[in-house]
Amino acid sequence: MANRTDPLAKNIRGTNPQNLVEKIVRTKIYQHTFWKEQCFGLTAETLVDKAMELDHLGGTFGGSRKPTPFLCLILKMLQIQPEKEIVVEFIKNDDYKYVRILGAFYLRLTGTDVDVYRYLEPLYNDYRKVRQKLADGRFSLTHVDEVIEELLTKDYSCDIAMPRLKKRWTLEQNGLLEPRKSVLEDDFEEEEEKEENEGIADGSEDEKDHQRKSPERERERDRDRRRDSHRHRDRDYDRDYDMDRDYDRDYERERGRGRDRDRDRDRDHYRERDRDRERGRDRERDRRDRARRRSRSRSRDRKRHETDDVRDREEPKKKKEKKEKMREDGTDHPDPEIAEANRLRASLGLKPLRP
């Protein structure tokens, strides 16, 4: 019951929200003491207190791959599925950096592409230090903006596979997102204006008079500078678009080759399986023939032995009967004359002579 998803929770990307965490990692979390003692019975309100107690982030660590409390709370949020407003408040929390990262990680797993870019990109301006537990159990120092960069660009984070995220320029092209404006862009413009003003102050009076007399030239120069910056931006955009298109084409070609290899491998597998079955049937047929021949040979040997046994039993009996018969008619007398006379009497049907 403690590991079951809230019945009112909605499916995320067509599946149970807890299935966004791999099965083996999920099992490790269910068996961990922090999950059994600290996460039991948590709600969206009480989860905030546990999130405020976090002092590091990370996935699994050590030889037995123990999960961190951060990972346990992520699975708990997937289990109870808090409201979007609560998650947004997590992200907007400036006082507790680990609460902010927890909300950003959950939104990256469950939110739409537009929401992910809209709520996570402003966190690039958060440069606070955070502790991250590595796979060997040691701690490393990182920053909030680096964690956000990992969530937006990497396929794995904290031993969890991130759902596929669309390219930002695709959403901009479809009108779902506004072009991103860097916070440093205003600073760059101020620096350029400051350098221009210093150049004007250090210039000669003739140059100042010439610039005062030709404001049209300065406006044209600014217009050309903006046009060049837009041209460079469009060129970078086209290059990124061509690279993505080439990548998709190569990916489709490689996937087609992979399907052909898989098809050939399956065909060879089935042929080898059929040959193995045929060889197995041949071996079974040979085994049965050998067993049949052995059975016939045993039957013949058994009959021959039985015949020999009967013959061996009957011959002594016949010899004995013949000996007894010779003893009765006196033909076996030691005296040859008496034995000859007894044989003659036996042929005449007379009794033998008795000594």
Side-chain angles (χ1 to χ4, degrees):
M1 294 294 293
N3 303 334
R4 189 174 299 175
T5 307
D6 188 353
L8 300 179
K10 300 179 181 179
N11 288 343
I12 302 297
R13 306 182 191 280
T15 183
N16 190 327
Q18 293 194 76
N19 291 340
L20 296 176
V21 181
E22 286 80 353
K23 173 66 176 179
I24 186 170
V25 178
R26 211 162 59 237
T27 304
K28 294 289 185 182
I29 295 175
Y30 291 157
Q31 296 174 353
H32 198 258
T33 307
F34 184 85
W35 174 267
K36 297 178 181 178
E37 294 180 357
Q38 306 296 330
C39 297
F40 180 78
L42 286 181
T43 61
E45 293 78 11
T46 57
L47 181 68
V48 181
D49 300 332
K50 294 297 180 182
M52 293 168 59
E53 297 175 0
L54 291 175
D55 58 355
H56 66 278
L57 59 95
T60 58
F61 65 93
S64 59
R65 313 307 299 168
K66 297 180 182 179
T68 58
F70 178 84
L71 197 60
C72 295
L73 292 181
I74 288 294
L75 184 62
K76 194 63 182 180
M77 292 180 70
L78 293 173
Q79 185 182 24
I80 63 178
Q81 202 178 65
E83 297 292 336
K84 181 180 177 181
E85 291 76 10
I86 298 177
V87 179
V88 173
E89 290 300 324
F90 275 29
I91 297 175
K92 293 181 179 180
N93 192 319
D94 295 331
D95 298 331
Y96 297 94
K97 50 191 176 183
Y98 294 105
V99 175
R100 167 172 283 185
I101 296 177
L102 187 70
F105 199 100
Y106 176 78
L107 184 65
R108 176 66 178 86
L109 288 176
T110 61
T112 61
D113 298 336
V114 176
D115 289 339
V116 169
Y117 283 111
R118 181 177 299 165
Y119 291 108
L120 265 62
E121 281 184 343
L123 302 185
Y124 276 131
N125 303 321
D126 192 345
Y127 308 114
R128 288 180 292 180
K129 298 178 181 179
V130 290
R131 293 199 312 164
Q132 184 175 11
K133 180 167 283 192
L134 304 178
D136 56 359
R138 296 184 294 106
F139 288 96
S140 67
L141 196 63
T142 184
H143 301 81
V144 177
D145 60 322
E146 294 178 350
V147 177
I148 300 302
E149 177 72 15
E150 180 179 343
L151 292 178
L152 293 177
T153 58
K154 302 296 182 181
D155 295 332
Y156 269 85
S157 180
C158 296
D159 295 326
I160 295 180
M162 295 289 104
R164 184 172 177 82
L165 191 66
K166 293 181 180 179
K167 300 292 184 182
R168 197 184 199 286
W169 62 266
T170 305
L171 301 177
E172 293 179 2
Q173 190 175 12
N174 294 334
L176 301 177
L177 276 180
E178 295 293 333
R180 183 187 172 195
K181 182 179 181 181
S182 176
V183 181
L184 302 178
E185 188 173 349
D186 296 335
D187 297 337
F188 289 151
E189 293 179 357
E190 293 178 359
E191 288 292 334
E192 291 179 357
E193 293 178 359
K194 185 176 179 181
E195 291 177 358
E196 291 177 358
N197 294 333
E198 290 178 355
I200 294 173
D202 295 338
S204 61
E205 293 296 333
D206 295 337
E207 293 176 350
K208 292 180 181 179
D209 295 340
H210 180 71
Q211 289 178 359
R212 291 194 197 98
K213 294 177 181 179
S214 58
E216 292 295 334
R217 178 179 298 179
E218 184 65 25
R219 283 196 294 271
E220 290 179 358
R221 187 181 297 115
D222 293 338
R223 192 180 305 110
D224 293 339
R225 189 185 300 112
R226 286 194 298 270
R227 188 183 302 110
D228 292 339
S229 64
H230 287 300
R231 187 181 300 111
H232 288 301
R233 183 181 303 173
D234 294 338
R235 188 181 301 114
D236 294 337
Y237 176 81
D238 294 337
R239 184 175 61 253
D240 294 340
Y241 178 77
D242 293 337
M243 290 176 62
D244 292 335
R245 185 175 57 188
D246 294 339
Y247 173 77
D248 294 337
R249 188 186 302 110
D250 295 340
Y251 175 74
E252 291 295 335
R253 187 184 302 111
E254 185 63 26
R255 188 170 63 176
R257 294 175 181 172
R259 283 197 297 266
D260 295 337
R261 286 194 297 268
D262 294 339
R263 192 180 303 110
D264 295 338
R265 186 166 53 249
D266 293 340
R267 187 185 303 111
D268 296 338
H269 171 71
Y270 290 135
R271 289 177 179 174
E272 186 65 25
R273 187 185 62 181
D274 295 338
R275 285 194 292 267
D276 292 339
R277 289 179 178 177
E278 187 65 26
R279 286 194 293 266
R281 285 194 291 267
D282 293 340
R283 286 194 297 268
E284 182 68 20
R285 192 181 303 109
D286 295 339
R287 187 184 63 81
R288 290 179 182 177
D289 293 340
R290 289 194 299 269
R292 191 178 300 109
R293 287 194 296 270
R294 285 196 300 268
S295 177
R296 292 175 182 175
S297 178
R298 290 197 199 97
S299 300
R300 288 194 297 269
D301 293 341
R302 190 182 303 110
K303 291 180 181 180
R304 186 170 57 253
H305 289 314
E306 290 177 356
T307 305
D308 294 341
D309 292 341
V310 172
R311 187 184 300 110
D312 293 340
R313 286 195 302 269
E314 290 179 352
E315 285 182 357
K317 187 176 180 181
K318 290 180 179 180
K319 290 180 180 180
K320 186 177 180 181
E321 291 177 354
K322 185 177 180 181
K323 189 174 182 181
E324 290 178 355
K325 185 178 181 181
M326 292 175 63
R327 189 181 298 113
E328 290 178 357
D329 56 11
T331 56
D332 59 345
H333 198 278
D335 190 351
E337 295 180 357
I338 296 176
E340 183 63 26
N342 286 335
R343 278 193 292 273
L344 183 58
R345 291 177 66 87
S347 63
L348 298 175
L350 299 177
K351 293 181 179 180
L353 297 176
R354 296 297 180 182

